[in-house]
Amino acid sequence: MTFHVLTIFPEFFRGPFEHGVIERAQRAGLIQIKVHDLRTWTADRHRTVDDRPFGGGEGMVLKPGPIFEAVESIWPDRTAGKKVVLLSAQGRKFDQSVAREFAGLNELLLICGRYEGVDERVAEHLADEELSVGDFVLSGGELAAAMVLDVVARLKECVLGNSDSRVYESFGEDGLLDCPQYTRPAEFRGWKAPEVLLGGNHEEIRKWRLKAAREKTARQRPDLLRI
Ligand code: 9D3
């Protein structure tokens, strides 16, 4: 699967994509990542990507021209299996099921917004959809794009290579949060790890983990139990 990221800060992605699952998935040939500098598709001396909003107001808006030119040059034909996503606070909310949907694509192109926003004609006539990563205000789409890429990349890795299918299934199959985990020492500053986990009774351990996961989900994320 190929990911394209369109951004005015290509250097932002050097860190996040060179570590962990994303780096591993790239090295294994499961995913390819191409980061594109939006300024490549400007024609003026100042490589202008933004302008003042019509009707007045604070800040600057990303111009439609360079973004349309970029997408049309990255994909001269937009065949099936390709999707253009505009990262935006106004989008559909990203979650694990959206990630599973994206993992079935051949190519995904993520457009990162900046400033006060992106000319609405990008959302209306270029992007297949707008996607938000949560109800909070980021300063741009780059962190959101890195999140989406991380989640989809690890799905690819789990489906095609990872023997631990639990990693793939957690968050979704049983709809619960993970159970609490402990490691040595068995007692730390007077706080003991649950006795049952120290013994070898796998059936008792399984039951304890399910109960603990249910309790933790009820406490932290009751919304997950109501679905
Ligand atoms: C408070 C500023 N808003 C009113 C003018 C508009 C606005 C513009 C640009 C709000 C956020 C941003 C930058 N955010 C993103 O590009 C973004 C985002 C987000 O802020 N929250 C959750 N998901 C995403 S995906 C992209």
Side-chain angles (χ1 to χ4, degrees):
M1 177 175 183
T2 302
F3 295 87
H4 298 272
V5 182
L6 186 60
T7 174
I8 57 167
F9 294 122
E11 66 283 2
F12 175 97
F13 295 97
R14 225 170 276 147
F17 294 172
E18 285 173 11
H19 301 281
V21 280
I22 296 186
E23 189 268 338
R24 247 193 347 265
Q26 283 185 95
R27 209 145 35 80
L30 299 173
I31 63 163
Q32 276 179 293
I33 302 174
K34 294 176 178 168
V35 179
H36 306 273
D37 185 346
L38 181 61
R39 291 188 201 278
T40 305
W41 291 277
T42 55
D44 63 309
R45 202 162 62 83
H46 295 105
R47 310 182 83 197
T48 309
V49 291
D50 60 337
D51 208 334
R52 291 155 58 208
F54 281 136
E58 290 290 296
M60 301 290 270
V61 174
L62 285 181
K63 294 159 68 64
I67 301 178
F68 273 76
E69 295 287 336
V71 173
E72 287 160 1
S73 118
I74 294 165
W75 290 343
D77 56 335
R78 280 172 65 175
T79 48
K82 292 178 181 170
K83 196 161 204 169
V84 178
V85 169
L86 172 64
L87 277 326
S88 126
Q90 285 75 45
R92 159 163 84 126
K93 191 97 66 76
F94 182 66
D95 65 15
Q96 197 68 26
S97 68
V98 176
R100 276 188 219 111
E101 191 187 310
F102 287 175
L105 294 167
N106 296 122
E107 300 198 38
L108 178 63
L109 196 162
L110 301 169
I111 302 171
C112 305
R114 270 277 153 181
Y115 309 112
E116 283 313 299
V118 179
D119 188 288
E120 189 67 14
R121 287 164 289 195
V122 171
E124 276 194 32
H125 305 293
L126 184 67
D128 293 299
E129 69 170 292
E130 282 181 89
L131 194 71
S132 161
V133 294
D135 294 335
F136 39 75
V137 182
L138 294 170
S139 51
E142 282 77 12
L143 272 172
M147 276 179 57
V148 171
L149 230 141
D150 185 272
V151 179
V152 178
R154 67 191 296 287
L155 282 178
K156 291 304 241 191
E157 199 179 47
C158 292
V159 170
L160 290 167
N162 200 318
S163 57
D164 183 6
S165 67
R166 200 195 76 87
V167 179
Y168 177 57
E169 280 160 13
S170 72
F171 225 117
E173 291 303 294
D174 60 5
L176 297 174
L177 299 179
D178 284 346
C179 66
Q181 303 283 351
Y182 296 86
T183 187
R184 287 182 287 185
E187 181 173 341
F188 174 70
R189 298 190 178 180
W191 300 299
K192 290 189 171 73
E195 201 72 48
V196 60
L197 300 179
L198 307 180
N201 189 331
H202 297 295
E203 184 54 19
E204 283 305 307
I205 290 171
R206 193 190 62 77
K207 277 193 266 179
W208 181 88
R209 284 182 164 161
L210 182 59
K211 182 165 169 283
R214 284 190 180 131
E215 284 169 3
K216 185 142 188 171
T217 306
R219 197 158 18 94
Q220 310 267 55
R221 294 291 308 276
D223 57 303
L224 293 178
L225 295 175
R226 279 198 287 270
I227 299 170

